[in-house]
Amino acid sequence: MRGDKFLESLNDGRSVWFEGKKIDRIREHPAFQGTLGTIRDLFQTLDDPELRERVGYRVEGSERYAHSSFLVPYTPEHLTRRNRSFSFWSAETHGMMSRLSDYARSLVTGWYAARHELKALDPGFELKIASYYEHARDNDRFLTTAIIDPQIDRSSGLDDRRIAERFLHVVRETEEGIVIRGAKMIATGAPYTHDFILSSFLKFDVKDTKHAHVLIVPANSPGLHIVCRESFADSREQNHPLGAKYDEMDAVLFFDDVLVPWERVLLYGDSQKVLALRANRTANALAYHQNVVRFVAKLEFITGVAFAVAESIGVSGFLHVQEKLGELIVQIDVIKALIIASEAQAKTDVSGVLVPEISFIDSARSIGTKFYPRAVEILQQVGGGGFMQTPSGMEDFYGPISKLMHLYFEGATVSAEKKVQLFKLAWDLIGSPLGSRHELYERFYAGDPVRAYANQYIGYDKDRLIDPIWDLLKQTSKSVGTRG
Ligand SMILES: Cc1cc2nc3c(=O)[nH]c(=O)nc-3n(C[C@H](O)[C@H](O)[C@H](O)COP(=O)(O)OP(=O)(O)OC[C@H]3O[C@@H](n4cnc5c(N)ncnc54)[C@H](O)[C@@H]3O)c2cc1C
């Protein structure tokens, strides 16, 4: 079963640092056990005859099912299949696991799909991406991205040596490949990923050749250190039903002279080409499509929790509560409608790939950065102090004060025990360290939201909207002139 194979594969000599120690067997570590169990079960769905059609597709010329993030969409049915697969894993994890590698796999699939066009960037690109795509698809490689450079001094650039030395760069070239040094700020899922997709981020100067690259680097590369944040995993499932299963670990990556073989150097030395690859519409549309499909599952989850909380304490009949719960429904509908629009207006690109309309997906990603914090706020407003009116554990329901517990924790429509369970779940979602991390994630996972909105303005066909204004004013001044 490939879930177990996935867990086994993590004993590969990788250097994962947690609380000052290098972890030997990550799958047995309490910070990762719950999350890895979740991922194992999801991987297993591809071997399940009942589920594999939903999650995967049969690779041409083989009996093997691959995850649908590897499916190159040429028809609307292919796009539907991709959506169905993302929806399924997201619903299984309530949208709480956003880096199950289907995003990064989609990026690779997009580059592969557009490889004939992209070979203009580098003649070696086409073969390299094709070979990696097949390797990743046929070996169920778990992938994540590490793009953003460390937050040292954002007002400074590569002309500052402090920055240039710390941002990922090439220190030398050898016959086998390039040797890289520097760090990357956050890679979610890093401790249990197989490969990192690395790319330089800033709009570099043409002269900054050593910092311009797009690379694929295995997590067990010698010299690569994965430095984990504090764990938000909590095995006390009754108190932390989400923390027990869904803490996707974020980690900083240190590259202490890591050799990247030439076959995994997709681009190097030309910042304009790196930017062109990063802007590739096919790859971005396929990858961002996954982001927003996953987001629907999370919005539906938090909305369901808010509805249940409101009913459990008898506040769902108040007008202002209904208005807020209605706002959550509007959020879901807006994102769903943008996804439907992106699929309905998908266009075939020069390689024959059916690409969802990215402007709708960009809008969903941008508005999502405001929706989720607002959804958290609504849940707080609906639940009030109830999130703190919970006992430290469930044990008292079975101890000497059991009768009083049932009496005083009772809800409007639910038993005391159910109400406490519900509020603990809700608190895990919006108030625990994991919950706070999720709010931050939704604000920033797609990049700086301020610049994302600004980029939508910059890239928009503004004349389409401005020209009619001038036309109207021309008409107005003509008629004024006539009257005059
Ligand atoms: C939970 C979580 C998980 C993540 N996972 C990943 C991952 O797996 N892979 C990955 O690559 N990245 C990941 N990220 C990183 C994410 O992509 C960045 O957080 C995001 O791009 C914003 O960059 P930053 O955090 O460096 O913020 P900064 O760019 O440092 O911004 C901080 C503030 O300064 C402002 N600012 C900074 N520079 C400018 C500027 N030039 N012009 C205008 N305003 C500016 C911003 O608007 C913002 O308000 C993750 C982030 C989070 C929070």
Side-chain angles (χ1 to χ4, degrees):
M1 297 288 271
R2 43 188 124 178
D4 296 316
K5 219 171 128 196
F6 164 70
L7 293 185
E8 260 321 301
S9 71
L10 301 178
N11 294 327
D12 60 358
R14 63 188 56 216
S15 172
V16 178
W17 293 89
F18 183 82
E19 294 180 346
K21 294 194 188 78
K22 194 166 156 181
I23 300 178
D24 270 344
R25 290 179 65 81
I26 172 173
R27 58 182 289 189
E28 281 148 31
H29 194 282
F32 302 102
Q33 251 176 354
T35 303
L36 288 178
T38 304
I39 297 175
R40 182 202 51 218
D41 292 348
L42 294 175
F43 267 52
Q44 228 75 303
T45 55
L46 278 162
D47 289 327
D48 182 332
E50 309 252 302
L51 297 175
R52 63 189 182 191
E53 274 293 330
R54 214 153 144 189
V55 186
Y57 70 105
R58 202 154 60 78
V59 177
E60 216 181 304
S62 126
E63 288 303 305
R64 196 171 189 279
Y65 275 75
H67 190 270
S68 291
S69 50
F70 288 116
L71 178 66
V72 178
Y74 292 109
T75 63
E77 291 70 37
H78 289 157
L79 271 187
T80 306
R81 193 179 265 267
R82 289 179 60 86
N83 182 324
R84 198 172 54 202
S85 159
F86 303 147
S87 304
F88 183 71
W89 273 15
S90 304
E92 288 289 292
T93 51
H94 312 292
M96 299 291 288
M97 296 198 60
S98 38
R99 302 285 170 131
L100 290 165
S101 94
D102 32 7
Y103 162 71
R105 287 170 171 180
S106 295
L107 204 56
V108 168
T109 302
W111 288 340
Y112 166 76
R115 64 194 180 282
H116 306 304
E117 170 198 346
L118 290 171
K119 75 178 173 206
L121 298 177
D122 183 299
F125 183 87
E126 190 179 13
L127 268 184
K128 287 179 188 178
I129 195 65
S131 132
Y132 180 73
Y133 164 82
E134 284 170 17
H135 167 69
R137 181 195 63 194
D138 298 341
N139 293 285
D140 301 307
R141 297 294 280 182
F142 194 99
L143 317 180
T144 196
T145 54
I147 313 292
I148 308 299
D149 302 297
Q151 219 175 22
I152 293 168
D153 178 350
R154 291 289 189 239
S155 68
S156 211
L158 290 181
D159 290 336
D160 179 344
R161 270 194 60 194
R162 279 181 320 152
I163 304 294
E165 282 172 3
R166 289 166 175 86
F167 282 17
L168 199 62
H169 61 284
V170 175
V171 283
R172 61 181 179 277
E173 294 176 28
T174 72
E175 262 184 33
E176 299 95 79
I178 54 175
V179 175
I180 54 172
R181 189 182 297 168
K184 281 288 173 189
M185 180 178 167
I186 306 180
T188 301
Y192 43 84
T193 202
H194 288 133
D195 297 318
F196 293 104
I197 316 265
L198 305 175
S199 136
S200 37
F201 176 65
L202 291 179
K203 280 188 184 155
F204 295 132
D205 240 47
V206 181
K207 66 177 170 33
D208 297 317
T209 54
K210 299 290 177 206
H211 286 80
H213 52 252
V214 180
L215 315 169
I216 298 173
V217 177
N220 67 342
S221 300
L224 169 52
H225 300 285
I226 300 167
V227 183
C228 301
R229 63 155 161 76
E230 178 188 353
S231 170
F232 304 143
D234 197 319
S235 58
R236 293 169 303 160
E237 197 165 355
Q238 282 185 329
N239 273 352
H240 296 282
L242 304 175
K245 296 192 286 195
Y246 301 143
D247 182 21
E248 292 189 300
M249 178 57 86
D250 307 294
V252 176
L253 307 180
F254 295 164
F255 296 83
D256 194 20
D257 290 7
V258 173
L259 173 73
V260 186
W262 286 115
E263 62 268 25
R264 295 287 185 256
V265 179
L266 297 183
L267 286 181
Y268 159 52
D270 187 324
S271 55
Q272 295 313 306
K273 290 181 177 172
V274 170
L275 279 180
L277 183 63
R278 286 199 39 225
N280 180 259
R281 253 180 123 81
T282 305
N284 290 346
L286 295 188
Y288 300 168
H289 181 233
Q290 183 278 337
N291 291 165
V292 290
V293 172
R294 190 273 315 166
F295 187 53
V296 169
K298 193 159 181 185
L299 285 182
E300 288 189 335
F301 183 55
I302 194 166
T303 301
V305 171
F307 286 0
V309 162
E311 284 177 12
S312 77
I313 55 171
V315 299
S316 57
F318 297 127
L319 179 66
H320 88 89
V321 173
Q322 290 174 341
E323 181 241 9
K324 289 180 174 63
L325 298 179
E327 189 179 333
L328 294 178
I329 298 170
V330 171
Q331 287 194 350
I332 295 170
D333 280 352
V334 167
I335 302 295
K336 273 189 175 169
L338 286 166
I339 295 170
I340 292 169
S342 78
E343 292 173 1
Q345 296 204 7
K347 288 183 193 64
T348 303
D349 73 4
V350 286
S351 309
V353 184
L354 189 63
V355 184
E357 173 50 52
I358 199 164
S359 63
F360 294 124
I361 297 178
D362 280 341
S363 291
R365 293 203 331 155
S366 288
I367 196 74
T369 65
K370 295 184 194 255
F371 275 1
Y372 193 71
R374 174 68 183 142
V376 169
E377 186 183 23
I378 288 176
L379 186 46
Q380 278 180 0
Q381 288 168 331
V382 169
F387 303 109
M388 296 299 109
Q389 183 203 283
T390 49
S392 51
M394 299 302 283
E395 296 79 3
D396 288 333
F397 279 107
Y398 312 104
I401 56 166
S402 160
K403 211 169 136 202
L404 299 174
M405 292 292 291
H406 284 98
L407 183 68
Y408 292 119
F409 278 112
E410 196 178 54
T413 54
V414 290
S415 70
E417 253 182 288
K418 275 207 168 139
K419 194 181 107 200
V420 167
Q421 275 179 333
L422 174 65
F423 272 80
K424 280 184 180 293
L425 168 68
W427 184 244
D428 212 19
L429 181 59
I430 63 169
S432 67
L434 183 76
S436 304
R437 182 257 176 212
H438 273 272
E439 188 177 336
L440 193 72
Y441 180 86
E442 298 302 348
R443 282 184 197 275
F444 279 109
Y445 83 91
D448 175 8
V450 174
R451 279 171 278 170
Y453 267 96
N455 282 337
Q456 279 191 262
Y457 167 71
I458 292 164
Y460 200 78
D461 174 10
K462 294 179 269 294
D463 289 344
R464 191 178 70 78
L465 300 182
I466 294 175
D467 287 350
I469 307 299
W470 292 122
D471 285 347
L472 170 74
L473 293 177
K474 225 189 287 170
Q475 302 292 334
T476 314
S477 57
K478 257 192 216 152
S479 62
V480 170
T482 317
R483 277 205 300 273

